[in-house]
C-alpha cells in the first residue's frame, strides 16, 4: 500500500543554518504531497503542497519539490529561526479520502 | 480561512465514562476526520466521514464510534473510556478531491488532550 517515510529526529540546528528534512513515498498513480507543521500544544497546520511532478511548493521560506523519479518531497529552508522549532510531517494524498502521514520529524533550533 | 474548532483543549475523565469529543468546521467541507496522536506512533486515523450520516472506519476504530448528523459537526464517542485512550485527539476537515482530481489538504483543529484516569 501507499506509505510515507521521514527521517527520524530530532534535528538540532543553530539559527541561520540550512535545513533539510527528507521525505520519500511509495504510491501508485499520481498522489498529492504535503508538508504540515505542528507547534507545541497546537494542531497541524498546512505548510506547503505540490500536486504533480516537478511542482515546487513554498511558504514562509520553506520549499519542497515533488520528484517523481526519486519519489521524494524533501523540505528545505535556507536559514532557520528559533521560531521554526516544531514537528514537521510529510503527507501523501491518494485517491482515497484520507491523507497518509509520515511519523514526523522534530526540529529544534538553538539561538 | 478554514476554521476547525474542537470544543475542549483539555479533558480529564474516569475509566468507564462515556466521552464525547466535538468538532465543528465552518467551510462546508464534505470530509471530516478524527485522528489520535501519540509519541512515537505519529497520527493514526480513527474514523472519517465523507458525507452527513456516512462514516468509515480508519486504522484504529476499536473502542470508538462517531456521529455526523449535520455537515459541519463530527463527534467522536468513547463508549467506555479506558486508560489506553489517553491521547491527543485531532479533528480535521477537507474538501476532498477537486473536479480536477486533485486531493485537497486537511485542515486541523487545535486538538483535545484527553486524560483517562
Amino acid at each position: 500500500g501507499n506509505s510515507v517515510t521521514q527521517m527520524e529526529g530530532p534535528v538540532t540546528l543553530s539559527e541561520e543554518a540550512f535545513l533539510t528534512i527528507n521525505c520519500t513515498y511509495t504510491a501508485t498513480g499520481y498522489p498529492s504531497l504535503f508538508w504540515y507543521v505542528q507547534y507545541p500544544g497546537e494542531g497541524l497546520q498546512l505548510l506547503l503542497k505540490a500536486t504533480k511532478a516537478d511542482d515546487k511548493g513554498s511558504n514562509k521560506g520553506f520549499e519542497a519539490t515533488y520528484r517523481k523519479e526519486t519519489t521524494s518531497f524533501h523540505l528545505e529552508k535556507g536559514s532557520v529561526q528559533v521560531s521554526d522549532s516544531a514537528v514537521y510531517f510529510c503527507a501523501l494524498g491518494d485517491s482515497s479520502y484520507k491523507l497518509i502521514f509520515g511519523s514526523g520529524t522534530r526540529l529544534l533550533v538553538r539561538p | 480561512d478554514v476554521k476547525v474548532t474542537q470544543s475542549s483543549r483539555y479533558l480529564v475523565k474516569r475509566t468507564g465514562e462515556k466521552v464525547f469529543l466535538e468538532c465543528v468546521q465552518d467551510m462546508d467541507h464534505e470530509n471530516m476526520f478524527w485522528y489520535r496522536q501519540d509519541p512515537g506512533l505519529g497520527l493514526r486515523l480513527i474514523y472519517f466521514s465523507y458525507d452527513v450520516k456516512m462514516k468509515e472506519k480508519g486504522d484504529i476504530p476499536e473502542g470508538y464510534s462517531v456521529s455526523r448528523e449535520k455537515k459541519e459537526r463530527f463527534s467522536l464517542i468513547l463508549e467506555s473510556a479506558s486508560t489506553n485512550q489517553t491521547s491527543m485527539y485531532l479533528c480535521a476537515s477537507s474538501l476532498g478531491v477537486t473536479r480536477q482530481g486533485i486531493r485537497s489538504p486537511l485542515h486541523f483543529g487545535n486538538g483535545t488532550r484527553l486524560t483517562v484516569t
Side-chain angles (χ1 to χ4, degrees):
Chain A
N2 296 344
S3 65
V4 175
T5 302
Q6 279 182 247
M7 62 187 290
E8 289 200 21
V11 173
T12 303
L13 295 173
S14 298
E15 207 166 21
E16 299 184 2
F18 185 87
L19 168 71
T20 301
I21 299 178
N22 289 340
C23 171
T24 57
Y25 67 91
T26 302
T28 55
Y30 302 94
S32 296
L33 298 172
F34 307 90
W35 275 102
Y36 283 83
V37 59
Q38 185 179 33
Y39 299 103
E42 298 184 11
L44 276 69
Q45 300 175 25
L46 179 66
L47 183 59
L48 52 85
K49 65 179 181 180
T51 57
K52 62 182 187 296
D54 300 324
D55 264 4
K56 178 185 280 189
S58 61
N59 186 25
K60 299 181 181 179
F62 291 89
E63 293 183 339
T65 301
Y66 187 160
R67 302 279 189 207
K68 193 163 179 65
E69 63 276 14
T70 55
T71 62
S72 65
F73 192 54
H74 304 322
L75 182 68
E76 296 181 336
K77 187 175 186 183
S79 176
V80 293
Q81 307 299 313
V82 172
S83 57
D84 293 327
S85 298
V87 180
Y88 293 81
F89 291 90
C90 185
L92 176 155
D94 58 15
S95 56
S96 70
Y97 290 100
K98 61 183 183 180
L99 291 192
I100 299 167
F101 286 89
S103 56
T105 302
R106 182 175 299 279
L107 170 65
L108 177 61
V109 181
R110 294 180 171 162
Chain B
D1 271 358
V2 176
K3 188 156 188 181
V4 179
T5 303
Q6 294 184 231
S7 54
S8 304
R9 291 298 300 272
Y10 300 95
L11 275 179
V12 180
K13 297 292 182 181
R14 294 190 180 275
T15 301
E17 278 192 79
K18 190 168 186 176
V19 181
F20 293 85
L21 302 183
E22 306 288 347
C23 175
V24 177
Q25 51 95 3
D26 65 357
M27 281 301 293
D28 203 36
H29 284 170
E30 282 85 14
N31 300 341
M32 295 188 75
F33 306 81
W34 276 106
Y35 286 86
R36 64 177 282 178
Q37 183 179 18
D38 301 286
L41 297 176
L43 276 76
R44 293 181 290 169
L45 182 65
I46 304 171
Y47 266 97
F48 66 98
S49 168
Y50 52 89
D51 202 350
V52 175
K53 296 190 187 296
M54 306 303 287
K55 60 186 178 185
E56 290 281 343
K57 293 180 180 179
D59 302 316
I60 52 162
E62 296 78 20
Y64 303 93
S65 62
V66 290
S67 172
R68 192 159 180 210
E69 296 296 319
K70 293 184 178 181
K71 193 173 188 179
E72 67 270 19
R73 185 179 298 269
F74 192 36
S75 303
L76 180 70
I77 303 156
L78 286 66
E79 297 290 342
S80 176
S82 63
T83 54
N84 63 12
Q85 293 178 310
T86 291
S87 186
M88 169 72 93
Y89 290 87
L90 295 169
C91 176
S93 73
S94 169
L95 192 56
V97 178
T98 68
R99 287 195 180 88
Q100 292 76 29
I102 295 171
R103 162 67 52 199
S104 295
L106 267 60
H107 300 269
F108 284 86
N110 278 335
T112 297
R113 186 167 293 282
L114 173 67
T115 302
V116 182
T117 61

